[in-house]
Amino acid sequence: MVDRLDPGAGDGATVSGVPPPRGDLPGWELVLTDDFGRQELGANFTAYSGSPGGDPYSTWHPDHVSVREGTLVLEGYRRDGAWTTGGVSNWPVSQMYGRWEVRFRADPSDEITYHFLLWPKSDQWPPEIDFAEDFGGSRTGVSAFLHFRSESGRQKVQRDLSGVDFTAWHTVGVEWLPGQVRYLLDGEVWARVESAGVPDEPMWLALQAQSGGCERSSEYGLAACPKAGTPDRAEIVVDWIAVYARR
């Protein structure tokens, strides 16, 4: 477990208008907050390189991750002619069960997608808990997925949220308990899943921008492009994160 200090503690100012939590919640013990009040990524995060597993449309590069003006920025733009994005892992904070929150906003883009998830410390997939995924467009909703393996093979449970403007600041999150996952928006539960497939092994937080939004939309039967268009650059901007352990 990491130290209970905020590694990004600054002067108390917040970019999004909502400060990160500073204390425990009923049933939850605050383990880490990070408001990115510094100039570098820091010891609690690692920037990705290479291509995501199972995603032929995307490439990560560390230069597409930056910490500036009190935010973590995951940038999507063309690099050497190919769409490239940023992603980070919070792998030092691995735990079984907990609550995670991410305050963020996202630029519209058909090409650039984002994925906030819990990944197994074992690096053996599945399981995976995706608590906020957007596959490109005007940023008016998110999807959440629980991936697990059963006797009949790999399984997926999906929940969808619409009618929310994620180009503006919001806080998404997840509460992970034995046999249950609860998805959060601005501190309130918007969906839950109860299943024997809920993970029971340590996991850590990943924040990822990826590319290939139109291809993914086509694969998943979502609205066809163009939707919001493909600007030359799109950013996923994170004001702060918070991690809690289960009491």
Side-chain angles (χ1 to χ4, degrees), residues 25-75:
L25 295 174
W28 303 104
E29 183 177 8
L30 186 62
V31 172
L32 174 72
T33 60
D34 196 335
D35 64 7
F36 303 103
R38 54 185 182 275
Q39 300 301 314
E40 67 285 333
L41 190 56
N44 285 312
F45 290 90
T46 299
Y48 294 154
S49 297
S51 298
D55 183 355
Y57 312 116
S58 221
T59 301
W60 285 314
H61 195 285
D63 287 352
H64 290 241
V65 176
S66 62
V67 175
R68 63 176 188 261
E69 299 178 347
T71 63
L72 169 68
V73 183
L74 309 178
E75 301 174 90

Side-chain angles (χ1 to χ4, degrees), residues 10-22 34-35 69-71 103 169 238-240:
D11 59 6
T14 178
V15 174
S16 67
V18 174
R22 299 299 183 189
D34 196 335
D35 64 7
E69 299 178 347
T71 63
R103 186 154 182 85
W169 293 103
V238 178
D239 187 15
W240 52 260

Side-chain angles (χ1 to χ4, degrees), residues 4 41 47 49 57 59 77 79-80 83 88 103 114 116 137 159 171 177 180-182 194 200 241:
R4 293 172 184 281
L41 190 56
S49 297
Y57 312 116
T59 301
Y77 56 89
R79 185 184 190 90
D80 298 327
W83 285 102
V88 299
R103 186 154 182 85
Y114 65 82
F116 301 163
R159 298 288 186 266
T171 306
L177 295 160
Q180 183 178 134
V181 174
R182 299 192 288 246
E194 296 184 4
D200 60 357
I241 68 154

Side-chain angles (χ1 to χ4, degrees), residues 67-112:
V67 175
R68 63 176 188 261
E69 299 178 347
T71 63
L72 169 68
V73 183
L74 309 178
E75 301 174 90
Y77 56 89
R78 292 186 185 275
R79 185 184 190 90
D80 298 327
W83 285 102
T84 305
T85 59
V88 299
S89 71
N90 183 220
W91 63 268
V93 192
S94 299
Q95 60 186 33
M96 187 164 68
Y97 308 127
R99 172 180 170 130
W100 287 258
E101 291 185 298
V102 179
R103 186 154 182 85
F104 84 108
R105 65 169 181 81
D107 291 341
S109 172
D110 290 350
E111 178 66 28
I112 303 304

